[in-house]
Amino acid sequence: MIGTVNIKQFTMADISNDSEILQDGCSAFDLISSGNGLTYNDFIILPGFISFSADEVDLTCQLTKNITLKAPLVSSPMDTVTEADMAIAMALCGGIGIIHHNCLPEAQANEVFKVKKYKHGFIHDPMVLCPNNTVSDVLEVKKEHGFCGIPITENGKLGGKLVGIVTSRDIDFLEEKDNLNMKLGDVMTGLKDLVTAKSGVTLQQANSILEKSKKGKLPIINNEGNLLALIARTDLKKSRNYPNASKDENKQLLVGAAIGTREEDKHRLNLLAQAGVDVVILDSSQGNSIYQIEMVKFIKKTYPKLQIIGGNVVTIGQAKNLIEAGVDALRVGMGSGSICITQEVMAVGRAQATAVYKVAEYARRSRVPVIADGGIQSIGHIIKALALGASTVMMGSLLAGTSEAPGEYFFSDGVRLKKYRGMGSLEAMDRKDAKGAAMDRYFHNELDKMKVAQGVSGSIVDKGSVLRFVPYLQCGLRHGCQDIGTRSLEKLRVMMYSGELKFERRSYSAQLEGNVHGLFSYEKRLF
């Protein structure tokens, strides 16, 4: 005889009363509090509930206390990553580029100047020439600044009486040697053929005049006919093509620059301020130093409106000292970059995921944003850094292979590559025109008999243009936030600190499972 077995029937009430059944994963606090240093690959974020489209996700974020970006993406101040071309592309896509300082101060300031001149609303300090200047002067301006639409005034200065304008159409066929000495008064488009606007016109009205006139430039003059400003048609087109571009109050692109903490860096800073830089990064592998604290205080006193990013830091103690000194944001990371060997050589640093969480959790109490710098290899890593409290991420190797990165492409075994090196590499520290900028980052100077490298040199596969690659990153970020169940990066941090966002440690096998596996061959196309 077979006996009967009593099976208890669970009801919904039983399940709803048992809150432990609904607990899944752990909070960020519990994840990091284990005491082990974690990298981005050591954990995964658990999915949430989707009730909106990916297009609705808002990627707006704070770079510093006073600078807001439309995308949480920053290019690293490395001499194989960010000069003017990279900074322009990053700003057009809603992020920002930080110009490296491994060059002469004048060269760095000129890179900043190129970015600020790239896109304007009202150009309040346009290049101006006089009728007695020559075609060769215009060609020199074109070579140095990349444009040749130049207003002509009687005295060759802004504020002088406008008499005409020289554009590329006026000199297209005058580049032969015989024509270089022709006076601009003989080749310019005269005032009677120009469309102008009076002072007091709004940017919207000025843009409307440009659209209707089909002219390339719109000079702004006062009642006496004196030149006050200029608006370019190309700027109007750029505004339409890149609506989320990072811009200042004058509609110029935002740009940052790196400096050191030496006394001579004060001269560099002065040139950068004159060029219009919006934010400076104090570039040091270990930012918790008396040198950086004194430089922060100097900048705050001398340039009170200039935003300062301090770093690099990885501990609460380091962050505390720089926050008290007055920094407007913190750069977090030490030894986690793909070309950095600081942790290996110096035995100092911290696993990046742990560093980002610890510093961000402390810094938020003072409303100081955090930049996660280093270890970013994919969209997933960006999302994880933001989910641990970072406001933005800084990218080096992820952008180094793009066409906007400095350097020339070369081929190796049929693969198109670009050079990429750490600023702590001997190659970067020995750059002759750098005046010791890279060495200063690692507390070396030109008189040292021996330098200890904290970086390597390598190469990166071609990634195409930043203007295509960064939108791919943004699209991936929006879909990642959708899977998590958050409509904005601000809400993502709220979910994390409240414990609503859940994480889980990953074993090595789980990490292998989460990547491509079990295939004989495959092609990995990102976009």
Side-chain angles (χ1 to χ4, degrees):
M1 181 177 177
I2 301 175
T4 59
V5 178
N6 292 324
I7 301 177
K8 180 180 178 181
Q9 298 295 316
F10 285 94
T11 66
M12 289 302 295
D14 293 323
I15 295 175
S16 62
N17 289 335
D18 191 354
S19 60
E20 291 185 3
I21 293 180
L22 299 179
Q23 293 298 318
D24 209 353
C26 64
S27 67
F29 175 81
D30 292 333
L31 176 74
I32 301 298
S33 296
S34 64
N36 298 320
L38 302 182
T39 68
Y40 297 131
N41 286 334
D42 289 325
F43 68 94
I44 197 75
I45 303 170
L46 300 187
F49 178 71
I50 298 176
S51 60
F52 52 89
S53 69
D55 291 338
E56 296 177 54
V57 175
D58 181 11
L59 298 180
T60 301
C61 59
Q62 291 297 127
L63 174 71
T64 67
K65 290 178 179 178
N66 295 334
I67 296 179
T68 302
L69 303 178
K70 295 292 181 65
L73 307 173
V74 184
S75 67
S76 181
M78 303 171 71
D79 63 3
T80 51
V81 178
T82 309
E83 289 181 352
D85 288 345
M86 177 66 74
I88 288 168
M90 290 297 296
L92 288 175
C93 292
I96 191 171
I98 311 296
I99 307 291
H100 74 86
H101 65 126
N102 203 30
C103 57
L104 293 173
E106 293 78 12
Q108 186 187 22
N110 190 51
E111 294 300 301
V112 169
F113 182 78
K114 289 178 185 177
V115 181
K116 300 306 289 186
K117 286 296 179 185
Y118 181 79
K119 184 173 184 176
H120 300 275
F122 291 104
I123 307 173
H124 291 295
D125 54 350
M127 183 68 64
V128 181
L129 295 175
C130 75
N132 289 327
N133 283 107
T134 64
V135 170
S136 64
D137 294 324
V138 177
L139 296 178
E140 190 63 33
V141 171
K142 184 178 181 179
K143 180 181 178 181
E144 184 175 348
H145 300 290
F147 61 85
C148 58
I150 304 170
I152 308 299
T153 64
E154 288 181 346
N155 61 2
K157 297 180 181 179
L158 183 67
K161 192 173 184 63
L162 182 69
V163 294
I165 194 168
V166 171
T167 68
S168 59
R169 295 175 185 176
D170 297 315
I171 63 167
D172 272 345
F173 303 103
L174 301 177
E175 297 186 12
E176 291 81 8
K177 190 173 182 180
D178 294 341
N179 299 318
L180 295 182
N181 292 324
M182 288 184 65
K183 302 290 186 183
L184 297 185
D186 298 326
V187 302
M188 69 183 184
T189 301
L191 181 62
K192 62 182 178 60
D193 296 319
L194 297 182
V195 174
T196 61
K198 290 294 179 69
S199 60
V201 67
T202 66
L203 185 60
Q204 187 174 2
Q205 291 169 336
N207 284 339
S208 178
I209 294 171
L210 264 181
E211 284 188 78
K212 292 176 182 177
S213 69
K214 299 182 180 180
K215 297 287 187 180
K217 298 285 190 297
L218 180 67
I220 310 298
I221 59 177
N222 60 17
N223 292 331
E224 288 74 41
N226 298 325
L227 180 67
L228 302 180
L230 189 71
I231 289 183
R233 185 180 187 83
T234 51
D235 294 341
L236 179 60
K237 291 166 64 178
K238 292 168 198 168
S239 295
R240 276 203 291 254
N241 293 337
Y242 301 99
N244 294 323
S246 304
K247 296 174 284 190
D248 61 18
E249 305 83 18
N250 191 43
K251 306 301 180 183
Q252 294 175 310
L253 295 182
L254 293 177
V255 61
I259 63 171
T261 56
R262 300 173 297 180
E263 188 65 27
E264 50 265 41
D265 281 297
K266 293 178 180 179
H267 168 64
R268 182 185 293 270
L269 178 62
N270 181 49
L271 295 179
L272 293 172
Q274 291 179 34
V277 74
D278 298 287
V279 56
V280 292
I281 279 186
L282 298 182
D283 195 26
S284 174
S285 62
Q286 211 283 54
N288 187 28
S289 70
I290 187 63
Y291 315 111
Q292 185 156 150
I293 290 172
E294 288 177 350
M295 181 62 85
V296 170
K297 293 178 179 178
F298 169 80
I299 297 173
K300 281 298 178 184
K301 181 179 179 180
T302 313
Y303 308 94
K305 293 184 179 180
L306 187 59
Q307 295 286 280
I308 307 170
I309 299 172
N312 281 30
V313 299
V314 291
T315 70
I316 293 172
Q318 290 177 301
K320 178 177 181 294
N321 287 340
L322 294 186
I323 290 173
E324 290 177 350
V327 297
D328 300 297
L330 286 169
R331 185 178 171 197
V332 177
M334 191 173 183
S336 56
S338 62
I339 40 67
C340 189
I341 56 175
T342 297
Q343 293 184 15
E344 173 189 343
V345 175
M346 302 299 173
V348 176
R350 197 171 200 177
Q352 185 66 353
T354 299
V356 169
Y357 176 81
K358 289 288 190 179
V359 174
E361 201 283 328
Y362 177 79
R364 73 186 181 108
R365 304 174 191 184
S366 302
R367 299 182 182 275
V368 174
V370 158
I371 303 168
D373 173 28
I376 300 294
Q377 301 172 29
S378 65
I379 293 173
H381 287 172
I382 297 174
I383 294 174
K384 289 177 180 181
L386 299 173
L388 289 175
S391 294
T392 56
V393 298
M394 182 170 281
M395 301 169 292
S397 63
L398 207 59
L399 299 173
T402 60
S403 54
E404 289 80 3
E408 299 297 326
Y409 284 109
F410 64 94
F411 285 88
S412 177
D413 296 327
V415 180
R416 197 168 188 242
L417 304 169
K418 232 179 197 183
K419 196 173 193 64
Y420 178 53
R421 67 188 184 197
M423 297 307 288
S425 65
L426 293 178
E427 186 178 345
M429 288 195 284
D430 287 339
R431 180 167 162 168
K432 299 303 180 184
D433 65 343
K435 298 294 184 182
M439 285 186 275
D440 179 59
R441 187 178 198 275
Y442 298 91
F443 299 96
H444 280 299
N445 63 61
E446 292 169 305
L447 299 179
D448 287 348
K449 294 180 180 179
M450 181 177 292
K451 304 180 188 73
V452 179
Q454 295 188 45
V456 300
S457 298
S459 55
I460 295 285
V461 174
D462 174 23
K463 291 189 178 76
S465 173
V466 166
L467 297 175
R468 287 195 64 214
F469 185 65
V470 169
Y472 152 73
L473 297 179
Q474 292 170 308
C475 182
L477 287 175
R478 289 191 173 94
H479 281 277
C481 288
Q482 183 189 37
D483 284 345
I484 290 170
T486 178
R487 292 176 182 266
S488 69
L489 298 185
E490 183 179 356
K491 177 70 185 309
L492 178 65
R493 284 189 293 276
V494 171
M495 290 173 64
M496 185 269 287
Y497 287 120
S498 69
E500 180 183 353
L501 187 63
K502 297 299 183 181
F503 301 81
E504 190 168 81
R505 287 286 298 271
R506 292 205 295 175
S507 66
Y508 178 67
S509 297
Q511 293 176 38
L512 294 177
E513 182 184 65
N515 284 293
V516 179
H517 60 278
L519 300 180
F520 172 71
S521 64
Y522 68 93
E523 180 185 11
K524 190 173 183 179
R525 296 180 61 186
L526 299 179
F527 57 93

